[in-house]
Amino acid sequence: MQEVLKNQWYLAVPSTKIKANKIETLEILGEPILFFRDSQGVVQAIKDICPHRGIPLHFGRIVQDMVVCPYHGWKFDGAGVCREIPSLTSTQKLDCTKIKIKSYPIKEMYGAVWIFIGDANFDQSLTPQPPIFADLPLDAKPEICEVVEFPCHIDHAVIGLMDPAHGPYVHQSWFWRSSKSSYEKHKSFGPVDYGFRMKRHEPSKNSKAYKILGGEPTTEITFRLPGTRVEHVQVGKKSFYSLTALMPLTENRTQVVQMVFWTIPWLILAKPFIRSFGHTFLGQDLDAVTKQQVGLKFDPSLMLIADADTQAKWYYGLKKEWSDHLKDSREFKNPVPDTVLSWRS
Ligand code: FES
Ligand SMILES: [Fe+2]
């Protein structure tokens, strides 16, 4: 089995999905997790299994910022501490606060709820952080948000989305590019913390999608573990961000969240077009990995070729270094070099 990374921040859900007094539930890395928003507006996340008899707590309800189990009414707060056991009599002295469900650290920023999946005592500053968009306030909301489930291991979703050679074949659309208009490309890359970056450059001439931004756009693409990609397009002083965050639900199901932000006021007019473009694009990737699963059932050996698959090699290298540095209790050493990659697409 290929590894999925723990001790990581993952983008779990768009903020709009977590409403006050409403329970949301999601399986993340095989752990059932319950989310709700308390009366202060803070998102809480606890394991979705009652420690008494194991019933999922999402069948219960929220009362006064507490989750009430549907079976015997035990109440748990957002930190997972049991606050009440209704069956206890006045003379029974069981301290219910000693009963605790696992709770998960949460960060809410840019309209997304990020969750830390890992050991309670792991130093969360020594792990890749959710991305920061320098010219957006932390409470900025995405202009467009889409959540899609890919029926594959996170590794195939990551390398499928970063792969530069599939564009002319998978994303053949009238508004994008045809397989006939391919060019040789040379892009500079370098390491960043827990990832790598395609350095700022002008988009290639067959990438028509950038044209709607007007002006002379430049773009920079950053990938970080565990599966976060940010494209930052700049037109003059204005920004366009596309965030793609992947999270393993189970070994063979991966959630892909795509969020788009911008500081270009008139782009609101192009919003329906950008939304449908993104939707089509992600749908084409989903279609490719779904078909790929048909072949992967037979457990074929696979290939990674230079330079088109070099970013995929870096991804595997980063993952391995992540595991190795924890095993050896040493600092993370980024294996990605400063280099130029060339391919035709
Ligand atoms: S199973 Fe939850 S209170 Fe008994
Ligand atoms: Fe793609």
Side-chain angles (χ1 to χ4, degrees):
M1 166 180 151
Q2 295 151 300
E3 205 189 349
V4 286
L5 296 185
K6 293 227 170 181
N7 297 314
Q8 299 284 340
W9 287 98
Y10 284 102
L11 196 172
V13 275
S15 292
T16 49
K17 267 195 91 178
I18 312 295
K19 303 199 172 72
N21 298 319
K22 250 203 78 203
I23 292 175
E24 269 298 322
T25 174
L26 196 60
E27 189 175 339
I28 305 177
L29 276 86
E31 294 180 36
I33 299 175
L34 176 155
F35 296 84
F36 70 98
R37 196 179 288 281
D38 68 19
S39 52
Q40 307 297 307
V42 178
V43 176
Q44 309 285 356
I46 59 175
K47 190 161 179 188
D48 188 14
I49 299 283
C50 181
H52 183 213
R53 292 273 209 286
I55 196 169
L57 290 166
H58 73 256
F59 292 118
R61 62 208 164 94
I62 306 286
V63 176
Q64 289 167 329
D65 292 346
M66 283 186 284
V67 184
V68 184
C69 178
Y71 209 162
H72 310 93
W74 293 17
K75 287 185 185 160
F76 300 92
D77 65 17
V81 177
C82 183
R83 293 293 169 187
E84 192 188 325
I85 296 182
S87 66
L88 292 178
T89 67
S90 55
T91 55
Q92 290 169 338
K93 290 287 171 254
L94 173 69
D95 179 6
C96 65
T97 61
K98 293 231 164 69
I99 302 170
K100 206 179 169 295
I101 310 180
K102 180 172 183 184
S103 67
Y104 298 83
I106 293 287
K107 282 187 187 187
E108 190 171 21
M109 48 207 279
Y110 307 116
V113 174
W114 293 76
I115 188 167
F116 182 79
I117 303 285
D119 307 328
N121 48 11
F122 192 89
D123 183 348
Q124 290 159 27
S125 68
L126 298 177
T127 195
Q129 302 298 305
I132 295 288
F133 307 124
D135 49 358
L136 288 178
L138 275 181
D139 61 354
K141 303 275 173 286
E143 300 289 343
I144 296 167
C145 172
E146 179 149 2
V147 182
V148 183
E149 191 179 314
F150 279 24
C152 64
H153 188 277
I154 186 171
D155 288 355
H156 287 297
V158 168
I159 70 173
L161 290 167
M162 66 173 46
D163 165 16
H166 75 290
Y169 296 92
V170 171
H171 301 298
Q172 266 186 53
S173 313
W174 64 268
F175 53 80
W176 186 243
R177 50 164 71 143
S178 81
S179 59
K180 286 176 218 97
S181 76
S182 62
Y183 296 87
E184 272 187 25
K185 290 175 185 162
H186 311 280
K187 306 270 157 99
S188 297
F189 288 83
V192 295
D193 53 308
Y194 306 105
F196 56 86
R197 175 171 290 157
M198 184 193 286
K199 294 179 187 168
R200 192 160 286 288
H201 63 282
E202 284 172 22
S204 15
K205 41 188 179 293
N206 60 346
S207 295
K208 295 195 198 86
Y210 295 93
K211 290 228 168 79
I212 63 162
L213 298 175
E216 305 212 321
T218 61
T219 180
E220 168 191 277
I221 302 174
T222 307
F223 174 83
R224 278 194 184 84
L225 291 180
T228 310
R229 175 191 188 270
V230 174
E231 173 158 14
H232 178 201
V233 184
Q234 263 183 327
V235 192
K237 287 199 164 63
K238 303 279 186 217
S239 287
F240 177 99
Y241 293 99
S242 162
L243 162 70
T244 312
L246 279 64
M247 180 178 74
L249 301 169
T250 63
E251 197 189 338
N252 286 313
R253 287 164 54 223
T254 299
Q255 175 179 273
V256 180
V257 176
Q258 172 99 57
M259 288 184 165
V260 177
F261 304 83
W262 60 64
T263 63
I264 309 172
W266 64 264
L267 222 48
I268 187 105
L269 301 171
K271 200 161 164 170
F273 173 79
I274 297 170
R275 182 185 286 119
S276 105
F277 174 79
H279 179 78
T280 304
F281 210 73
L282 214 49
Q284 290 165 336
D285 287 316
L286 171 62
D287 184 51
V289 299
T290 304
K291 289 172 178 161
Q292 182 191 22
Q293 287 309 302
V294 180
L296 291 180
K297 273 210 303 269
F298 300 97
D299 200 23
S301 58
L302 307 175
M303 297 162 74
L304 294 173
I305 64 154
D307 288 354
D309 295 333
T310 299
Q311 293 178 75
K313 286 186 187 172
W314 289 342
Y315 166 67
Y316 286 119
L318 286 161
K319 262 186 89 176
K320 182 169 183 310
E321 173 59 15
W322 174 264
S323 305
D324 289 353
H325 96 289
L326 291 181
K327 225 181 290 149
D328 307 346
S329 319
R330 57 169 173 79
E331 247 174 62
F332 183 90
K333 240 187 103 235
N334 194 318
V336 176
D338 252 299
T339 189
V340 173
L341 297 183
S342 303
W343 62 78
R344 223 184 133 79
S345 71

